[in-house]
Amino acid sequence: MRLTLFVCLIIGALINYAAGVDPTNFKTCEQSSFCRRSRKVQSSGSKYALIRGTLNTYTDSVTADLINKENHHQFTMKLEALVGSTFRLQIDEKQPLRPRYRVEHALKGKPETAQIRVLESDELTITSGSAKAVIQGDPFRIDFYENDVHVVSVNAKNWLYFEHLRQKAQAPAGEAADGGDGAQQEQQEQNSDAVQSPSEPIDEPGTWEENFKSHHDTKPYGPQAVALDFSFPAAEMLFGIPEHADSFALKSTSGTDPYRLYNLDVFEYIVDSKMALYGSVPVLYGHGPQRTAGVYWQNAAETWVDIYTTETNVVSSLVNFVSGSRKSTPPAAHFISESGIVDAFIMLGPKPIDVFKQYAALTGTHELPQLFSLGYHQSRWNYNDERDVTSVSAKFDEYNMPMDTMWLDIEYTDGKRYFTWDKFKFPEPLTMIKNLTELGRHLVVIIDPHIKRDNAYFFHQDCTENGYYVKTREGNDYEGWCWPGSASYPDFFNPVVRDYYASQYHLSKFKTVTEDVMIWNDMNEPSVFNGPEITAPKDLVHYGNWEHRDVHNLYGHMHLMGTFAGLQQRDPNQRPFILSRAHFAGSQRYSAIWTGDNMADWTHLQHSTKMCLTEAVAGFSFCGADVGGFFGNPDAELLERWYQTGAFLPFFRAHAHIDTKRREPWLFPERTRQIIKSALLKRYSYLPLWYTSFYELEQTGEPVIRPLLTHYPLDKEAFAIDNQLLVQQRLLVRPVMQQGVSKVDVYFPAIDDKKNGDYWYDVDTYQRQERAGYESIPVDENKIPVWQRGGSIVPRKERQRRSSKLMLNDPYTLVICLDRQGKAAGTLFLDDEKSYAYRDGKHIYVSYEFADNQLTNRFIGKPQYKSEAWIERIIIAGLGHVPTPATITVNGISQQLEVEQRNGAIVVRKPAVKMDVDFALKLNN
Ligand SMILES: *[C@@H]1O[C@H](CO)[C@@H](O)[C@H](O)[C@H]1NC(C)=O
């Protein structure tokens, strides 16, 4: 690790990249006393048992008491059945010295419970539909079954670990604090090891107070960690728990630190790393050919996750093959949190798409975004002034490139006082905004949660007078250091503070924007430049007397709740658009996210698909990475490939650090400009697909972008692939993410274990792939390797415009790619692209079907939106003959249409039917 890093640094210096993160600014498990203590259980196990005679059975749940057999402390356990093959397991102390924190606001509402049947024998069997839980009393363990297949075990490894709250013993003088000094600490640990079982490590250094670098954590409530192991007997690989700059498939943590979930502002983060980043989503999935299951560990405290994989190397798979035996230890995860309770949702699948929907049923989805937010976003730190904004926008027109949104980073404000403008650089913000709006464009401005401590700043005055800031242990307003200098942080956990914050977005208060200006919430981990690990101290105090320790990973989420409420109140007719850096489970209901401050190098480009795939299955379909890389200067080739990749991730924004060279497309040679332009046009041509996909995400919980295993669960070769992604089940995208290549290896997944695959049609040439397996695909500099699945219909819009808003009434092209049976199907959603009227049915949602040489449409719900758009062209690939002519029948009246050939497809020109009209298009044989 050290050596690798050292080599990276040298290479970095040689090619003149920024040096990258300093990992010593962030804790290792070994430097974190609760992680150290909880992880020790892995070598000795723990001893928890159900107490006989304490079982209570209800219509949807059972409860019982648990005992730690070593110290006799008692706990309550509740296992509840939820609709959709999901169980919820909660374990808390029976009589804690003070209440332990239970996460609020992450779930979208109270989960709907399901009826159970209970069978009591040696074990306790709880059945709910096809889901079953079998509880064993001593040692305590629960096995979960879906249709009688064993998919998850809880505490099969006996690593349940629950530190009960206790009074601090009076320490002899001189033994108080953890010095954090290596040698001394190790010495003390060895001493304490000798006398203590892993369940009682209570006098270990760092248990009652803890130091990291120059920071001291007072830990007034002492040790309170919770930890539990989950095994996945039907799985061969694990994935989930964003956010990490790592592969989609989780790697074993044997010999490394666990994956860490602790929202942090990591400067120039490194890739292939288990280090914590800006967001924490504690949901993890186990996948095997027959079954997929998941666990959502609902805990907002600092969390570490150890991963046990069964490494698939040639030898072991050969042994398995020869012996025909299953691996004896299934993949497993060990969740370790600093405080809170055990609150785990066990989602039983059975298929990948089922378990993604089960998670969405708990934590929700992003609502249908305004169409503009799916267009291209142009950002940099900073567009300097009004002239800069106007001229960048004008240049996009001059070069005929579509662009929807200009972004302003922190420098637009008056000295980093949010909700104000720098009056010299931006004397007329309303005129500037109106200018953009008239072009069909939007503006997004940044609003961060750190508040400048300036007595003349109204926001600071309000927060100070009303006690709205997060407090220190002593009850004072906490002061940290961030962009504005000395800053304090509103306590968004207080509903009164969220209301106050929301009201700041009202146009009566924030008078220098319009209802079309949307919001970027950055630095909300929260980032505190002079705090421990660049964030807030854990012993700060929040609303309800909770420690920051308990709620840290939710701080950004609560910030987003305030912003979202503010934008909805500001204009109830417009769907808010918010971009956030910090996020937790459920934040997807309020915002899109991006992968933070990445770097202009090829490995970071490669990690954009890996990271967004993991985010998408954890609820965050609306994900993207800074195109071009935030730090450093991309060369032309990297920038081109990054635009091409970004064009097929849901959130598509170029952004750059203030110290980087300007990199708007026209600053590059003509060739690069053309490549970027064609990537942008490609993005815009697929907007109807992105938009429909987001509508369907909201309706069903099915992610917009998906790993291959979602639809090819049997194909083991596909499980770990994370340089390719699916857009719904319609497109297969394999961006070019390596330097200087003229071909890429593309994996076409198999639908069964006989290596049969779908048909895939290259979207540029309609050339067809008919076999599963790897293919080497030539790629010139303009090529974005994308295929449409045979059997799907994709709506497109092909007229070139300045922004998506101007495409509202543009006609559609339907691209029909036929499967082996000559069939295809697909949906299209349209509405006003902006308001909530679609929720009252003011939309058109249509399903197209092609079979027996005929295309028909069927409306899902009554079409109640009046669209000026129409179908201008129908492209059919895979027909095998050129039928002339085609006949379209509308309202019983038939008309013949021209058919022509284009590459490997036929094109039916000008069907000219409106979007809300029934029709049938018949092709002659
Ligand atoms: C708005 O547009 C007009 C006309 O192009 C231009 O003269 C003016 O400078 C712009 N104002 C701002 C504040 O951007």
Side-chain angles (χ1 to χ4, degrees), residues 386 390 428 431-432 435:
E386 284 172 358
T390 305
E428 292 182 76
T431 314
M432 180 187 74
N435 280 357

Side-chain angles (χ1 to χ4, degrees), residues 385-391 425-436 438-439:
D385 52 27
E386 284 172 358
R387 260 186 54 197
D388 200 5
V389 171
T390 305
S391 94
K425 298 175 188 160
F426 295 91
E428 292 182 76
L430 287 173
T431 314
M432 180 187 74
I433 293 162
K434 185 166 139 278
N435 280 357
L436 282 174
E438 278 172 358
L439 294 169

